[in-house]
Amino acid sequence: FKPHHSSRYYPQTNMLDFVFAVDDAATWHMTNLLKNRSHYSFLKFFGPKKISTIQRYGAGIYYNTLVPCDGRVIKYGVISTDALIEDLFHWKTLYVAGRLQKPVKILAQNENSRLQAALVSNLKSAVTAAFLMLPESFSEEDLYMQIAGLSYSGDFRMIIGEDKSKVQNIVKPNIAHFQKLYSTILQDCPQVVYKHHLGRLEASIDKSPEGQFTQLMALPKTLQQKITALVNPPGKNRDVEEILLQVAHDPDCGFVVHQGRSG
């Protein structure tokens, strides 16, 4: 897939950013080294197994950058399918999952039911996190700004300067693409009346402790763990459900979620 700053949504002068999800990274790099050795840095001398090992660190993605292609300069990342699915379900790093919460162009996709489920789960999680951090009522643009801001600091109202400008530049020209990406999820959400033909939504988010607890329990595992680490005093062995119930009763629940996302 091509992340959100592809030529489909942005001017031709911007660098195209591709990401390839592959089942066997070592084999993929071995083939790519034979075909496109010049794309790699000095790591090409270490061979495909070493490159695939390095790929597993950090966000689990290996990038070749500043690659000339058809008169353009591109970069492309390689991530294992398993690492991608893990990030989509659990937000382990949110590096690729965060990109996939924004409009992208999927060039090709194999039949993989687990990956498809993970892609949908990631979008649902983004909506849930946004609902927790937004007020009871909000505009459709507010929702997409909140979602686009998740991979920056978790709350678009907290983003300042260059980062806020980046989020606005992602959302404002691409409202129609965000609508297409999230329309099915929002139509299935009982808290939202989604008037697609009018291009707007009417939301009534349940801000009761019970409603917020349900949303907190639906968050990805890594974000739940970060939230519980924030509010659970050292030495206390309370389970996640008990801690999230406490957070659900906190008037600043949305800000706690924001802090967990930013941490």
Side-chain angles (χ1 to χ4, degrees):
F1 54 85
K2 292 189 288 187
H4 59 270
H5 40 294
S6 71
S7 60
R8 179 175 173 182
Y9 308 113
Y10 292 85
Q12 289 291 318
T13 53
N14 284 359
M15 183 183 294
L16 280 175
D17 186 344
F18 295 84
V19 175
F20 302 108
V22 302
D23 292 339
D24 184 339
T27 300
W28 193 92
H29 285 298
M30 180 175 66
T31 303
N32 198 43
L33 279 164
L34 292 172
K35 291 183 177 181
N36 301 299
R37 191 172 177 83
S38 64
H39 293 183
Y40 289 80
S41 67
F42 69 92
L43 290 174
K44 60 177 167 277
F45 299 110
F46 293 95
K49 286 187 178 179
K50 185 64 174 178
I51 292 171
S52 63
T53 299
I54 292 169
Q55 180 182 307
R56 290 197 289 268
Y57 290 100
I61 189 166
Y62 174 89
Y63 260 100
N64 283 329
T65 61
L66 301 176
V67 176
C69 180
D70 295 334
R72 298 286 300 274
V73 176
I74 70 167
K75 61 179 179 177
Y76 61 89
V78 183
I79 187 170
S80 76
T81 306
D82 287 344
L84 173 58
I85 289 172
E86 173 78 8
D87 198 34
L88 290 169
F89 272 129
H90 303 305
W91 290 7
K92 186 176 179 181
T93 69
L94 203 64
Y95 185 83
V96 180
R99 291 164 179 239
L100 285 166
Q101 292 162 0
K102 308 174 187 74
V104 301
K105 176 66 174 176
I106 296 179
L107 301 177
Q109 186 176 342
N110 294 336
E111 291 292 329
N112 185 323
S113 58
R114 190 161 173 262
L115 176 57
Q116 188 57 44
L119 289 164
V120 174
S121 174
N122 181 46
L123 298 180
K124 288 181 177 178
S125 295
V127 170
T128 300
F131 282 175
L132 281 161
M133 289 184 282
L134 285 164
E136 285 184 80
S137 60
F138 48 85
S139 71
E140 188 171 11
E141 185 175 310
D142 285 344
L143 174 63
Y144 300 142
M145 284 284 288
Q146 185 73 78
I147 289 171
L150 283 171
S151 50
Y152 288 88
S153 71
D155 186 336
F156 78 86
R157 292 166 299 178
M158 303 291 178
I159 300 171
I160 59 172
E162 186 181 354
D163 277 354
K164 186 162 188 175
S165 177
K166 285 179 182 177
V167 173
Q168 289 173 334
N169 289 340
I170 290 167
V171 173
K172 286 183 180 295
N174 294 306
I175 290 289
H177 297 298
F178 275 95
Q179 288 174 333
K180 185 176 180 181
L181 186 60
Y182 286 96
S183 62
T184 300
I185 289 168
L186 293 174
Q187 285 166 6
D188 291 340
C189 179
Q191 295 176 312
V192 173
V193 178
Y194 191 64
K195 299 184 176 180
H196 186 68
H197 62 291
L198 297 176
R200 72 169 189 264
L201 57 82
E202 293 178 2
S204 179
I205 304 304
D206 186 356
K207 291 293 181 178
S208 70
E210 295 78 14
Q212 293 191 138
F213 178 65
T214 300
Q215 293 169 346
L216 287 165
M217 290 297 291
L219 290 174
K221 181 175 65 178
T222 302
L223 180 50
Q224 287 182 341
Q225 290 169 343
K226 288 181 177 180
I227 292 169
T228 57
L230 280 171
V231 300
N232 193 36
K236 283 205 172 185
N237 292 319
R238 296 188 295 164
D239 60 30
V240 170
E241 187 171 338
E242 182 185 352
I243 297 164
L244 293 182
L245 185 59
Q246 174 191 327
V247 175
H249 282 79
D250 190 330
D252 293 324
C253 174
F255 184 67
V256 175
V257 174
H258 155 66
Q259 286 181 303
R261 181 54 230 121
S262 303

mmCIF file of all heavy atoms in Angstrom, residues 35 49 53 57 65 75 90-91 95 112 117 150 226:
data_model
loop_
_atom_site.group_PDB
_atom_site.id
_atom_site.type_symbol
_atom_site.label_atom_id
_atom_site.label_comp_id
_atom_site.label_asym_id
_atom_site.label_seq_id
_atom_site.Cartn_x
_atom_site.Cartn_y
_atom_site.Cartn_z
ATOM 1 N N LYS A 35 17.752 -7.888 -7.715
ATOM 2 C CA LYS A 35 17.146 -7.022 -8.731
ATOM 3 C C LYS A 35 17.490 -5.547 -8.523
ATOM 4 O O LYS A 35 17.650 -4.801 -9.489
ATOM 5 C CB LYS A 35 15.620 -7.183 -8.706
ATOM 6 C CG LYS A 35 15.130 -8.534 -9.193
ATOM 7 C CD LYS A 35 13.598 -8.557 -9.203
ATOM 8 C CE LYS A 35 13.074 -9.877 -9.765
ATOM 9 N NZ LYS A 35 11.590 -9.901 -9.791
ATOM 10 N N LYS A 49 19.507 -12.070 5.305
ATOM 11 C CA LYS A 49 19.126 -12.533 6.640
ATOM 12 C C LYS A 49 19.390 -11.452 7.683
ATOM 13 O O LYS A 49 18.575 -11.223 8.585
ATOM 14 C CB LYS A 49 19.880 -13.814 7.001
ATOM 15 C CG LYS A 49 19.368 -15.048 6.265
ATOM 16 C CD LYS A 49 20.036 -16.318 6.772
ATOM 17 C CE LYS A 49 19.476 -17.543 6.060
ATOM 18 N NZ LYS A 49 20.116 -18.796 6.517
ATOM 19 N N THR A 53 16.704 -9.367 9.956
ATOM 20 C CA THR A 53 16.839 -9.324 11.414
ATOM 21 C C THR A 53 16.752 -7.884 11.913
ATOM 22 O O THR A 53 16.047 -7.592 12.891
ATOM 23 C CB THR A 53 18.180 -9.937 11.852
ATOM 24 O OG1 THR A 53 18.227 -11.309 11.444
ATOM 25 C CG2 THR A 53 18.345 -9.861 13.366
ATOM 26 N N TYR A 57 13.541 -4.867 14.496
ATOM 27 C CA TYR A 57 13.701 -3.917 15.597
ATOM 28 C C TYR A 57 12.768 -2.716 15.420
ATOM 29 O O TYR A 57 12.286 -2.439 14.324
ATOM 30 C CB TYR A 57 15.150 -3.444 15.700
ATOM 31 C CG TYR A 57 16.101 -4.529 16.187
ATOM 32 C CD1 TYR A 57 16.898 -5.231 15.287
ATOM 33 C CD2 TYR A 57 16.178 -4.854 17.529
ATOM 34 C CE1 TYR A 57 17.761 -6.237 15.719
ATOM 35 C CE2 TYR A 57 17.041 -5.851 17.980
ATOM 36 C CZ TYR A 57 17.829 -6.537 17.065
ATOM 37 O OH TYR A 57 18.666 -7.527 17.505
ATOM 38 N N THR A 65 15.401 4.381 1.063
ATOM 39 C CA THR A 65 14.958 5.753 0.788
ATOM 40 C C THR A 65 15.692 6.340 -0.410
ATOM 41 O O THR A 65 16.706 5.811 -0.872
ATOM 42 C CB THR A 65 15.201 6.654 2.013
ATOM 43 O OG1 THR A 65 16.603 6.689 2.299
ATOM 44 C CG2 THR A 65 14.461 6.115 3.229
ATOM 45 N N LYS A 75 10.439 6.207 -1.631
ATOM 46 C CA LYS A 75 11.013 5.377 -0.577
ATOM 47 C C LYS A 75 10.044 4.225 -0.354
ATOM 48 O O LYS A 75 8.841 4.349 -0.631
ATOM 49 C CB LYS A 75 11.233 6.162 0.715
ATOM 50 C CG LYS A 75 9.993 6.761 1.349
ATOM 51 C CD LYS A 75 10.353 7.504 2.644
ATOM 52 C CE LYS A 75 9.126 8.138 3.296
ATOM 53 N NZ LYS A 75 9.461 8.807 4.583
ATOM 54 N N HIS A 90 -3.088 -4.489 18.021
ATOM 55 C CA HIS A 90 -2.699 -4.111 19.382
ATOM 56 C C HIS A 90 -2.032 -2.746 19.505
ATOM 57 O O HIS A 90 -1.784 -2.286 20.622
ATOM 58 C CB HIS A 90 -1.764 -5.185 19.957
ATOM 59 C CG HIS A 90 -2.364 -6.559 19.966
ATOM 60 N ND1 HIS A 90 -3.566 -6.831 20.562
ATOM 61 C CD2 HIS A 90 -1.928 -7.733 19.425
ATOM 62 C CE1 HIS A 90 -3.848 -8.118 20.407
ATOM 63 N NE2 HIS A 90 -2.887 -8.675 19.721
ATOM 64 N N TRP A 91 -1.723 -2.077 18.364
ATOM 65 C CA TRP A 91 -1.053 -0.781 18.371
ATOM 66 C C TRP A 91 0.281 -0.859 19.114
ATOM 67 O O TRP A 91 0.624 0.017 19.913
ATOM 68 C CB TRP A 91 -1.930 0.310 18.987
ATOM 69 C CG TRP A 91 -3.097 0.689 18.139
ATOM 70 C CD1 TRP A 91 -3.534 0.096 16.984
ATOM 71 C CD2 TRP A 91 -4.013 1.775 18.377
ATOM 72 N NE1 TRP A 91 -4.645 0.732 16.496
ATOM 73 C CE2 TRP A 91 -4.956 1.762 17.338
ATOM 74 C CE3 TRP A 91 -4.116 2.734 19.377
ATOM 75 C CZ2 TRP A 91 -6.007 2.692 17.268
ATOM 76 C CZ3 TRP A 91 -5.155 3.651 19.308
ATOM 77 C CH2 TRP A 91 -6.084 3.630 18.256
ATOM 78 N N TYR A 95 3.086 2.585 14.245
ATOM 79 C CA TYR A 95 3.822 3.221 13.141
ATOM 80 C C TYR A 95 3.106 2.987 11.816
ATOM 81 O O TYR A 95 2.791 3.936 11.084
ATOM 82 C CB TYR A 95 5.253 2.691 13.085
ATOM 83 C CG TYR A 95 6.106 3.382 12.048
ATOM 84 C CD1 TYR A 95 6.720 4.604 12.341
ATOM 85 C CD2 TYR A 95 6.289 2.843 10.783
ATOM 86 C CE1 TYR A 95 7.495 5.267 11.393
ATOM 87 C CE2 TYR A 95 7.064 3.488 9.826
ATOM 88 C CZ TYR A 95 7.660 4.690 10.136
ATOM 89 O OH TYR A 95 8.417 5.343 9.194
ATOM 90 N N ASN A 112 -6.098 -12.888 2.705
ATOM 91 C CA ASN A 112 -5.619 -13.163 4.053
ATOM 92 C C ASN A 112 -6.684 -12.644 5.010
ATOM 93 O O ASN A 112 -6.751 -11.452 5.302
ATOM 94 C CB ASN A 112 -4.268 -12.477 4.298
ATOM 95 C CG ASN A 112 -3.659 -12.827 5.645
ATOM 96 O OD1 ASN A 112 -4.374 -12.971 6.637
ATOM 97 N ND2 ASN A 112 -2.345 -12.952 5.709
ATOM 98 N N ALA A 117 -9.218 -8.747 8.786
ATOM 99 C CA ALA A 117 -9.844 -8.487 10.091
ATOM 100 C C ALA A 117 -9.040 -7.465 10.873
ATOM 101 O O ALA A 117 -9.603 -6.610 11.571
ATOM 102 C CB ALA A 117 -9.967 -9.792 10.879
ATOM 103 N N LEU A 150 -3.898 10.826 16.042
ATOM 104 C CA LEU A 150 -3.529 9.742 16.956
ATOM 105 C C LEU A 150 -2.057 9.382 16.854
ATOM 106 O O LEU A 150 -1.408 9.096 17.852
ATOM 107 C CB LEU A 150 -4.375 8.489 16.663
ATOM 108 C CG LEU A 150 -5.812 8.502 17.174
ATOM 109 C CD1 LEU A 150 -6.579 7.314 16.617
ATOM 110 C CD2 LEU A 150 -5.842 8.484 18.697
ATOM 111 N N LYS A 226 -0.750 1.160 28.601
ATOM 112 C CA LYS A 226 -0.162 2.472 28.862
ATOM 113 C C LYS A 226 -1.048 3.304 29.782
ATOM 114 O O LYS A 226 -0.554 4.019 30.666
ATOM 115 C CB LYS A 226 0.077 3.213 27.539
ATOM 116 C CG LYS A 226 1.229 2.640 26.723
ATOM 117 C CD LYS A 226 1.429 3.419 25.437
ATOM 118 C CE LYS A 226 2.637 2.899 24.657
ATOM 119 N NZ LYS A 226 2.840 3.646 23.394
#
